[in-house]
Amino acid sequence: MKINSNSTGIDRIQLYQNQINKIENDKPKQKSADKLEISSQAKDLQLAAQLKSEREERVQQIQKQIEEGSYKVQPSLVAEKMLQYFSKN
């Protein structure tokens, strides 16, 4: 079978180059690196969760001391904290 073509060798090379260029243009561009950003609100929530767990531990310690009868109330410290609270409000 004989194939007749009106295009010259240069036209064939140009067609080949066009095909390669099309493939290169269709490829996805180089991906940028993934990055993670944590908002200030999320950071505050993380800190609050940590403080909550520390507070729960402290409450459990105090409850255990109360049940054992070894918890001692310091009246001067309670009065001082009450004064601080009411002076703010």
Side-chain angles (χ1 to χ4, degrees):
M1 177 177 195
K2 184 175 179 181
I3 300 176
N4 292 329
S5 174
N6 292 337
S7 61
T8 63
I10 295 173
D11 290 338
R12 291 180 192 151
I13 293 172
Q14 185 64 34
L15 289 173
Y16 178 74
Q17 284 294 334
N18 290 343
Q19 187 71 18
I20 290 175
N21 290 339
K22 183 178 178 185
I23 291 171
E24 290 295 322
N25 289 337
D26 289 344
K27 285 184 182 177
K29 300 296 179 192
Q30 197 174 36
K31 294 182 181 179
S32 62
D34 293 339
K35 62 180 176 175
L36 173 68
E37 293 182 19
I38 300 176
S39 69
S40 60
Q41 186 179 12
K43 290 177 184 176
D44 292 343
L45 289 173
Q46 287 177 334
L47 180 61
Q50 181 183 5
L51 293 175
K52 184 179 178 182
S53 67
E54 290 174 5
R55 180 178 171 92
E56 287 176 5
E57 289 176 20
R58 178 70 178 137
V59 168
Q60 289 176 357
Q61 288 175 352
I62 293 172
Q63 284 177 341
K64 184 178 178 184
Q65 289 176 351
I66 291 171
E67 289 172 359
E68 294 173 349
S70 63
Y71 182 73
K72 303 287 186 220
V73 177
Q74 299 174 357
S76 60
L77 185 59
V78 173
E80 185 179 319
K81 294 292 183 175
M82 287 175 67
L83 286 173
Q84 287 176 1
Y85 175 79
F86 287 115
S87 67
K88 283 195 270 184
N89 296 328

